[in-house]
Amino acid sequence: MNTSPRKQKCIVTFARSWIALAATRCLGKQGIYVITGDTDRCAAANFSRYSKEQYVYPDPGTDPDGFVERLVELCRSHAAADTDLVLMPLYTDAYPIICRQDRFDGLAKLALPPKNPYELVRNKATLAARCAQLGIRVPVTVAAGSAEEFRERARAFAYPAFVKVPTSSGAVGTRKVSSYDEAVR
């Protein structure tokens, strides 16, 4: 009877972020074997003493299929009967994986929400609209389907205002603007 403990491994993406660095440290301190990766080797979490391996993957924004394929290959190389393997994508790296979750079946557990709830919160405009439907107060949100529509609607904004990219993480792509000209720029 084999009584050796199961190996615990975690693959972390978006290693350039401070959150990836904090996750790598936290997991590593718990004795978990952490593998960190990004589109470039020069990423903060890759330099942590708790990152046992580093990998580079294609840009998920421009090559989502290549990105997912690289992660599938990585998971295959670490999957084993005696190993608990978790894939923990961070930020926008999560979306291509959420869309292709079936590719990881039997290889790794995914630290991700299901696709439908993620789709709801991924787009700031749809999230604001859903909050309004549910009676949840949010700042006034105006969504535009095109650059022309944005220019037209921006004339009616009360400034200062915040302009946001519809699909990003946190404050990425958010700018405070003081005038129509600044908003359009």
Side-chain angles (χ1 to χ4, degrees):
M1 176 182 205
N2 184 356
T3 58
S4 60
R6 292 182 60 77
K7 295 175 190 161
Q8 295 178 314
K9 293 184 176 184
C10 185
I11 299 170
V12 177
T13 71
F14 208 74
R16 75 189 81 166
S17 72
W18 296 117
I19 292 175
L21 178 59
T24 300
R25 287 175 177 164
C26 183
L27 293 165
K29 286 179 182 179
Q30 297 301 314
I32 296 169
Y33 186 94
V34 183
I35 305 149
T36 56
D38 208 307
T39 57
D40 189 311
R41 259 200 208 286
C42 189
N46 287 348
F47 294 99
S48 170
R49 68 178 173 173
Y50 296 106
S51 175
K52 302 303 181 191
E53 289 181 40
Q54 302 79 37
Y55 63 99
V56 175
Y57 52 75
D59 186 326
T62 58
D63 185 8
D65 292 331
F67 167 67
V68 169
E69 189 56 38
R70 176 69 177 105
L71 289 176
V72 167
E73 291 169 7
L74 187 65
C75 288
R76 280 192 184 121
S77 72
H78 285 277
D82 68 341
T83 302
D84 291 323
L85 179 63
V86 173
L87 174 57
M88 189 169 78
L90 299 175
Y91 295 109
T92 54
D93 287 2
Y95 190 66
I97 297 167
I98 286 172
C99 293
R100 298 161 183 85
Q101 289 184 34
D102 60 311
R103 297 287 315 276
F104 298 92
D105 289 348
L107 294 175
K109 295 175 183 163
L110 302 179
L112 291 169
K115 186 176 180 182
N116 289 342
Y118 188 85
E119 287 279 348
L120 175 67
V121 300
R122 180 174 180 256
N123 184 296
K124 293 171 176 70
T126 59
L127 178 60
R130 182 70 172 141
C131 287
Q133 289 174 346
L134 296 172
I136 300 170
R137 291 177 36 174
V138 295
V140 174
T141 303
V142 178
S146 68
E148 182 57 41
E149 183 182 356
F150 176 78
R151 284 190 288 277
E152 188 177 305
R153 298 186 97 181
R155 293 186 199 289
F157 287 176
Y159 293 97
F162 288 94
V163 176
K164 299 179 180 185
V165 176
T167 54
S168 66
S169 292
V172 174
T174 300
R175 296 261 171 103
K176 183 177 180 182
V177 294
S178 300
S179 67
Y180 170 83
D181 290 334
E182 192 177 353
V184 170
R185 227 185 353 266

